[in-house]
Amino acid sequence: MLMEQRIYKKGTGPAAHPETEKMSLQRGARHLLAKQRGWFPKQRRSAHSVGIIGAPFSYGQKRRGVEGGPQAIRDAGLVERLSGLGCKVHDYGDLNFTTVSNDTPFNNIVHHPRTVGLANQSLTEAVSRAVGDGHLSVMLGGDHSLGIGSVHGHAQQRPDLCLIWVDAHCDLNTPLTSMSGNLHGQPVSFLIRELQDKIPSLPGFSWVTPCISAKDLVYIGVRDVDPAEYYILKNFGIRYFSMKEVDQLGIHKVMERTFDHLIGKQKRPVHLSYDVDAIDPSLAPATGTPVIGGLTYREGMYIAEAVQNTGLLSAMDLVEVNPKLATSDAELNATVNIAIDVISFSLGQAREGSHGKYDELPTPSATYTTNEQTIRL
Ligand SMILES: [Mn+2]
């Protein structure tokens, strides 16, 4: 079975260099030869220590059901998939969020500000703890307003992080430009330093401090951009690859330019915030704000693989899976399975195969005997 081939064992394969001295001389020489001939991929894959945080939260938008995302993703076998990749998984469980009563809209338009603010405050602590504990944080949403707390919490531990936001939308409205009043369309505006004189003080948000600069962010997959968002993209010099650029350049060049822009020669931690609505709704239909013309499965997974290959991924979000919006079991399964695939490819699953378990094929023993106990095949 495919999964079995991907199990990594400590001390085997090219990812286990500290163990090299334990290899026999012969095996060591063969390993070296293979390396010189370029048989191993350039990137070393090593098992991650992963901290999973469930964030069953839906008040950043109006369609209830997205709070069921973490459970649906867990039920479909996320932990088993990641363990099968060799990841050490620590599940922190789901956060308990409080719905603030009398949470009147800000400016008569922005909905549930206190409830969203409070939820993100507890998420920021949870992500900060997970990263501080030495895990790669995987936050399961919930709606994308949770991006505020997740990136903010990550930045508490890794202030030099950069952010890759994979989404059909920019989620970049300010509370003063939002037309829907949904905070899941605004999280990035709270995070960017250069925008802060445009952000009003929202009840529930006094704890938020912006933690990235406009140059630390790249969007991929956008195809539904509001006028104010476009203004911000252009006037603050934010790098973005809409679906048009994905068409023009191909996903490989898009990722190359993303890393050139964000990382270059100086290594820094990457935060990947992945909205399942970036994927085309024909493939991932159970989501609140689907937009036709999205990423193919292959493009969606290429992004995850490319991020994993940098070796710099430090925290990620997978958001906006809404089980209640599936019109059939098939739609639900398709969406949830894509969510799990995005996470798995971000954490080391590879279409070209993984190179952990086998560094040597079994050979029929030269000292073959008819005694069944000693036959080695
Ligand atoms: Mn989003």
Side-chain angles (χ1 to χ4, degrees):
M1 198 184 143
L2 219 59
M3 286 299 297
E4 209 167 301
Q5 293 176 7
R6 296 193 177 113
I7 292 173
Y8 293 24
K9 268 190 185 163
K10 233 184 170 179
T12 61
H17 285 282
E19 302 284 322
T20 306
E21 71 274 9
K22 291 181 187 165
M23 287 181 181
S24 71
L25 268 176
Q26 201 189 5
R27 273 180 68 196
R30 216 168 27 228
H31 183 83
L32 200 67
L33 189 68
K35 238 183 137 177
Q36 281 168 355
R37 288 181 184 167
W39 293 346
F40 291 125
K42 276 187 200 148
Q43 299 295 334
R44 273 175 51 190
R45 290 199 164 82
S46 53
H48 297 286
S49 174
V50 177
I52 297 179
I53 299 165
F57 185 74
S58 65
Y59 286 91
Q61 44 84 67
K62 297 186 187 76
R63 310 181 80 165
R64 299 290 86 86
V66 72
E67 71 278 3
Q71 195 186 336
I73 294 170
R74 281 203 183 88
D75 287 351
L78 174 68
V79 173
E80 294 77 6
R81 272 284 286 283
L82 297 183
S83 302
L85 289 169
C87 294
K88 238 179 75 196
V89 183
H90 180 83
D91 194 340
Y92 287 87
D94 284 355
L95 293 168
N96 276 317
F97 296 120
T98 309
T99 310
V100 179
S101 52
N102 301 319
D103 195 359
T104 49
F106 171 79
N107 250 1
N108 283 325
I109 176 135
V110 179
H111 300 283
H112 307 293
R114 296 161 194 83
T115 304
V116 174
L118 194 59
N120 275 286
Q121 195 172 9
S122 57
L123 179 60
T124 199
E125 283 161 23
V127 172
S128 177
R129 188 185 336 128
V131 176
D133 287 348
H135 298 300
L136 192 161
S137 170
V138 175
M139 186 276 281
L140 310 174
D143 72 63
H144 218 168
S145 67
L146 296 163
I148 301 170
S150 185
V151 175
H152 188 275
H154 187 190
Q156 302 300 298
Q157 300 289 337
R158 309 298 303 269
D160 54 335
L161 66 79
C162 60
L163 176 59
I164 301 176
W165 198 273
V166 183
D167 205 311
H169 315 85
C170 291
D171 300 347
L172 185 55
N173 274 292
T174 76
L176 302 178
T177 69
S178 170
M179 290 179 284
S180 68
N182 296 329
L183 274 158
H184 80 154
Q186 310 170 39
V188 185
S189 75
F190 291 93
L191 298 171
I192 298 177
R193 291 188 193 96
E194 293 92 323
L195 271 177
Q196 287 324 291
D197 62 343
K198 307 289 188 291
I199 306 293
S201 49
L202 234 60
F205 282 71
S206 58
W207 59 272
V208 183
T209 45
C211 46
I212 60 166
S213 297
K215 62 173 170 35
D216 301 326
L217 162 67
V218 170
Y219 286 105
I220 301 172
V222 294
R223 52 194 184 275
D224 183 4
V225 181
D226 293 339
E229 293 181 312
Y230 186 73
Y231 177 91
I232 295 169
L233 289 174
K234 291 297 175 190
N235 284 279
F236 291 83
I238 297 171
R239 198 69 195 265
Y240 68 107
F241 298 97
S242 73
M243 285 310 299
K244 180 181 146 188
E245 281 76 40
V246 174
D247 286 341
Q248 279 179 336
L249 300 169
I251 197 66
H252 169 70
K253 276 239 149 33
V254 165
M255 295 317 292
E256 222 172 52
R257 291 187 187 184
T258 294
F259 298 132
D260 280 352
H261 180 75
L262 290 177
I263 299 166
K265 279 183 191 149
Q266 208 190 342
K267 302 269 178 272
R268 60 198 300 209
V270 173
H271 187 113
L272 174 64
S273 202
Y274 209 121
D275 190 322
V276 81
D277 75 20
I279 307 280
D280 193 77
S282 62
L283 302 166
T287 190
T289 47
V291 186
I292 197 170
L295 298 167
T296 64
Y297 180 85
R298 283 156 60 178
E299 289 162 345
M301 297 311 131
Y302 190 92
I303 294 168
E305 284 176 332
V307 169
Q308 152 66 24
N309 280 340
T310 64
L312 297 171
L313 182 64
S314 170
M316 72 176 292
D317 315 316
L318 194 296
V319 297
E320 299 282 358
V321 171
N322 187 336
K324 284 204 178 139
L325 294 179
T327 59
S328 65
D329 281 353
E331 282 196 3
L332 176 61
N333 293 339
T335 310
V336 170
N337 287 335
I338 280 190
I340 292 180
D341 284 353
V342 167
I343 298 169
S344 300
F345 280 104
S346 300
L347 296 180
Q349 187 172 329
R351 286 175 292 177
E352 79 269 25
S354 299
H355 302 268
K357 192 179 180 188
Y358 286 106
D359 62 353
E360 190 170 19
L361 283 173
T363 309
S365 171
T367 55
Y368 177 88
T369 74
T370 50
N371 181 341
E372 269 190 19
Q373 297 295 314
T374 57
I375 291 175
R376 293 175 56 212
L377 286 174

